[in-house]
Amino acid sequence: MNRREGEGGSRRNADAAQDREASAQSSSPVIAAFKVFQQELDTKHDKHERLVKISRDVTIESKRTIFLLHRVTSVPNAEDILNEAELKLDAVRQKIGQIAEELRGEDIFQFHRAFTGGIQEYVEAASFLHYIRHRSLISLEEINARLVFMKSEKEDSEGLSGGLSGGQVLTFQVSPSDYLLGVADLTGELMRMCISSVGNGDIDTPFQLSQFLRQIHDGFSYIGNTGPYEVSKKLHVLRQSLGKVEDACYALRVRGSEIPKHMLADVFSSRTTHMEPEEGVV
Amino acid sequence: MSVTEMFSHIQGFLSADQDIREDIRKVVQMLEQTAREILTVLQSVHQPSGFKEIPSKCARARELFCTVRTTIADLKTKFPMEQYYRFHEHWRFVLQRLVFLATFVVYLETEALVIREEVAKILGIEVVREKGFHLDVEDYLAGVLIMASELSRLAVNSVTSGDYTRPLRISNFINELDSGFRLLNLKNDPLRKRYDGLKYDVKKIEEVVYDLSIRGLTKEAETTGGDK
C-alpha cells in the first residue's frame, strides 16, 4: 500500500491510513478508473518515445548524407557521390516509413513534436541533393510524393501489420511548416557549399548559388511573420548566410578581373580559412 | 515549380491556417467567458451562507453548462476534426477549467468523482478520439487536480461555517484521488507539475481533520447525527 512516509505517529495518521487502505481497494471505482488512465497514458508515452528514437535516427542519417554531399565540390566523379547519397536517403525514407507506421490511425499532430526535428533534417538533406542535381528547389509535393510506402507482403506474412491485407499504402505528409524550416536550414548548407566551391576555384557555382539563395530569401521575406515563430528566427540566420555568399560573389567579381584565373583558387583558399570560424558560430 | 511559386503556395496554406486559428480564438474566448460565470456561481459555496444553497447553485451552474455545450458545438465547426491536436493548445486551458467546474459541480451534488464519460457528456463532447471533438485524458486529469485544490479550500471554509463533517468526507475523497494518481506514471510535463501540488492539498486537508479531531469536534458531529 502506498502509505505516505514521514508523517506517521499520531492516531490520526493511523486512521487516515486505514481509511485510505480501505478506499484504495481495487474494487473502488476511482482506482479502477485510474488504472484505465494509467494504461492510456503509458501507451501514449511509449509511442512518443518510439517516435523520438526513430526521429533521432532520421536526424543522424540525414546529417551524414549532407556531409557526404559536401564532398561533391571537391571530387571529380560527383555522380558516384550523388548515387551514394540517394541510397542513404532511401534508408532514411525507410525510417520515416516506420514513423508513418506508428502514426497510422493517430492524429499526427498529437505526436508532431516527437518527430519534427528528424523530418526537418530530412527535408534539408533531400532538398540539398535535389539542388545539386537539378539546381532548383524541391517542392513540398515532390517530397511528399517520395514518402509513400507500400507495406510489403513479406512483412504481412510475419504478422507485423497485425493481419491486414497486403499491399497497403502508407503515406507520410510533411507539414508545410516543417518543409519551410527544412528549407531554411538548407540555405546554411548552400552557403557552405558556395564558400568551399570558391575555394576550389569554381567560378560559376557561387553566382548560381547567390541567385538561388536570393530567391529563397525573397520567398521567406514574402512569408514574413505569418509563418510559425521558428521561421522568423531562422530568417535572421538566412540573412547572414546570404550576406556571406553575396560577399564572396562580390570578391570574385572584383578580383576576378584583376587576377589571372589560375591564381584565383589560391586567393580564395586563404579567404575561406579565415571565414571558417565565423561559420562555427552560426 | 519556381521558388517564388513554391513560396506563394506555402503562404496560401499559412494564411488559411491563421484564419482557422483566428476563428477558434473567438469561440474560445466565449467559452472562457462562460467558464468564468460558472466559477463565480460556484465560488459562493465558500461563503458561510452558501452551504445551504449548494443544490440551487449547482442547478444554476448546470444551466450555464448548456451554453458551454452550444459554444463547443460551434467550436467543432471551425476546423477539420482530424486536426484536433493541431489546434489543441488554443482550447486546452479552457477545457481544463471546464472539466474542473464540471467535476466540482458533481462533487458538490454527489460527493463522488465524476467519470470521464460523464464530464464529456456535460460538455457535449466525446471520449474517444475517433468520434470527433474529445476530452483528452490529460486534460481530464488536470481538471480533476484543479478541483482537488478547490476542495482543500472548501474544507477550510466549511469549518469556518461550522460544518465539521464535510472536511472528513473531503479528506477521504482526496485520499482516494491521491492513491489514484499514484498509479499513473507521469512524465515530466505540465500534468506532473500539477500533480506535485496535490500533496499540499492532501496535507492541508489532513491538518484540518487533525484540528477537528483533537478538539473532539468530529465526535460531536457524529453523535448529533452528522448534520450541521
Side-chain angles (χ1 to χ4, degrees):
Chain A
M1 190 44 224
N2 309 319
R3 192 175 304 187
R4 279 152 53 95
E5 309 287 337
E7 36 173 326
S10 73
R11 271 190 48 212
R12 161 196 68 113
N13 266 316
D15 287 348
Q18 235 171 19
D19 282 351
R20 207 175 304 149
E21 227 145 319
S23 65
Q25 294 298 314
S26 52
S27 58
S28 141
V30 174
I31 299 300
F34 274 84
K35 281 197 172 134
V36 177
F37 298 150
Q38 178 194 47
Q39 215 165 28
E40 202 174 326
L41 284 173
D42 284 351
T43 319
K44 202 160 106 181
H45 292 163
D46 287 350
K47 195 182 265 295
H48 192 270
E49 290 306 317
R50 283 198 301 276
L51 283 168
V52 168
K53 196 161 168 290
I54 303 172
S55 165
R56 286 197 58 82
D57 290 346
V58 168
T59 309
I60 293 167
E61 272 308 302
S62 303
K63 270 204 175 21
R64 286 187 184 150
T65 314
I66 291 169
F67 275 110
L68 176 71
L69 286 169
H70 271 301
R71 265 175 255 154
V72 150
T73 47
S74 54
V75 290
N77 48 346
E79 198 51 38
D80 287 353
I81 285 187
L82 292 184
N83 288 335
E84 196 186 332
E86 196 68 61
L87 279 178
K88 269 183 184 289
L89 280 187
D90 274 334
V92 174
R93 273 191 282 272
Q94 287 312 308
K95 291 247 183 287
I96 297 179
Q98 288 175 23
I99 295 183
E101 181 78 17
E102 287 283 355
L103 292 175
R104 183 173 20 189
E106 300 283 348
D107 183 333
I108 73 160
F109 293 99
Q110 186 173 10
F111 299 100
H112 187 245
R113 247 186 319 172
F115 58 83
T116 173
I119 295 302
Q120 286 175 29
E121 209 65 34
Y122 167 73
V123 170
E124 183 179 347
S127 57
F128 193 31
L129 176 63
H130 185 91
Y131 178 76
I132 294 173
R133 274 243 160 92
H134 308 287
R135 303 279 147 172
S136 67
L137 181 65
I138 194 168
S139 72
L140 181 56
E141 282 73 20
E142 280 171 276
I143 286 185
N144 281 335
R146 303 206 63 174
L147 294 175
V148 175
F149 308 96
M150 294 292 283
K151 294 252 326 133
S152 69
E153 296 291 334
K154 186 172 147 262
E155 276 182 323
D156 271 335
S157 61
E158 284 170 8
L160 283 176
S161 69
L164 284 151
S165 60
Q168 215 182 2
V169 182
L170 266 180
T171 56
F172 184 89
Q173 296 278 315
V174 175
S175 77
S177 50
D178 282 346
Y179 169 80
L180 271 186
L181 294 170
V183 171
D185 291 337
L186 166 73
T187 57
E189 302 306 326
L190 293 177
M191 183 270 291
R192 275 212 240 169
M193 185 181 166
C194 169
I195 303 301
S196 67
S197 62
V198 169
N200 290 321
D202 182 347
I203 317 275
D204 297 331
T205 312
F207 289 101
Q208 283 173 8
L209 277 168
S210 79
Q211 206 184 352
F212 184 62
L213 271 183
R214 223 169 283 146
Q215 281 176 345
I216 291 185
H217 174 262
D218 294 350
F220 271 102
S221 323
Y222 176 61
I223 282 176
N225 54 11
T226 53
Y229 165 67
E230 298 97 310
V231 170
S232 29
K233 257 194 329 194
K234 294 210 169 173
L235 192 57
H236 179 64
V237 181
L238 169 58
R239 229 177 266 273
Q240 286 182 332
S241 301
L242 180 64
K244 285 181 196 171
V245 172
E246 283 177 339
D247 282 350
C249 290
Y250 165 80
L252 266 183
R253 187 66 82 209
V254 172
R255 303 205 188 164
S257 55
E258 295 166 359
I259 305 176
K261 286 271 187 292
H262 63 275
M263 283 172 67
L264 255 184
D266 300 333
V267 171
F268 274 97
S269 42
S270 60
R271 187 187 162 82
T272 6
T273 46
H274 87 239
M275 282 187 80
E276 223 53 80
E278 263 184 286
E279 239 178 78
V281 179
V282 177
Chain B
M1 196 185 267
S2 82
V3 176
T4 326
E5 276 167 5
M6 193 62 223
F7 274 95
S8 63
H9 174 69
I10 302 256
Q11 157 68 26
F13 174 86
L14 289 174
S15 36
D17 188 75
Q18 237 174 11
D19 290 347
I20 293 179
R21 285 175 198 276
E22 205 60 49
D23 284 351
I24 290 174
R25 254 192 290 269
K26 273 183 209 142
V27 182
V28 166
Q29 238 162 36
M30 283 164 65
L31 268 184
E32 276 166 354
Q33 175 65 34
T34 320
R36 276 197 299 273
E37 277 170 37
I38 298 176
L39 185 64
T40 318
V41 169
L42 291 179
Q43 281 304 304
S44 59
V45 299
H46 293 290
Q47 305 284 346
S49 57
F51 284 94
K52 297 176 199 83
E53 296 165 16
I54 284 178
S56 68
K57 297 292 175 194
C58 288
R60 173 82 191 106
R62 287 220 180 234
E63 275 171 40
L64 285 166
F65 271 111
C66 290
T67 323
V68 170
R69 278 192 291 272
T70 46
T71 318
I72 289 184
D74 190 26
L75 178 61
K76 285 177 193 171
T77 61
K78 300 295 179 199
F79 63 98
M81 207 33 72
E82 68 281 2
Q83 299 184 2
Y84 180 91
Y85 283 99
R86 184 150 149 215
F87 307 107
H88 190 193
E89 288 305 317
H90 291 293
W91 57 74
R92 186 165 218 164
F93 178 78
V94 70
L95 200 56
Q96 290 176 0
R97 301 293 294 180
L98 288 168
V99 170
F100 149 58
L101 295 167
T103 48
F104 194 42
V105 166
V106 177
Y107 178 80
L108 290 172
E109 287 169 350
T110 65
E111 307 215 337
L113 177 68
V114 63
I115 52 169
R116 181 148 69 119
E117 284 74 7
E118 184 61 27
V119 176
K121 218 168 98 190
I122 294 175
L123 302 179
I125 58 183
E126 300 291 339
V127 175
V128 278
R129 189 177 65 78
E130 284 76 9
K131 285 188 185 157
F133 197 98
H134 66 287
L135 178 57
D136 188 274
V137 65
E138 288 183 31
D139 290 341
Y140 169 74
L141 292 173
V144 170
L145 285 172
I146 304 178
M147 177 189 58
S149 48
E150 190 68 20
L151 284 183
S152 76
R153 216 185 123 207
L154 185 66
V156 172
N157 288 329
S158 59
V159 173
T160 318
S161 318
D163 184 346
Y164 299 142
T165 52
R166 188 177 286 275
L168 291 172
R169 298 198 302 272
I170 293 180
S171 168
N172 283 337
F173 178 74
I174 290 273
N175 279 325
E176 201 176 3
L177 267 190
D178 189 43
S179 29
F181 272 100
R182 259 163 227 263
L183 288 175
L184 307 178
N185 310 309
L186 296 172
K187 278 205 307 183
N188 212 358
D189 59 3
L191 184 60
R192 161 74 193 280
K193 240 176 253 161
R194 195 162 268 163
Y195 163 68
D196 288 342
L198 181 62
K199 58 177 176 283
Y200 300 110
D201 301 327
V202 173
K203 181 164 173 269
K204 181 94 194 172
I205 295 170
E206 280 181 356
E207 275 167 10
V208 172
V209 173
Y210 172 73
D211 281 341
L212 290 176
S213 54
I214 204 169
R215 290 168 179 82
L217 289 170
T218 53
K219 293 267 162 43
E220 183 189 299
E222 273 162 22
T223 48
T224 54
D227 205 77
K228 150 68 200 139

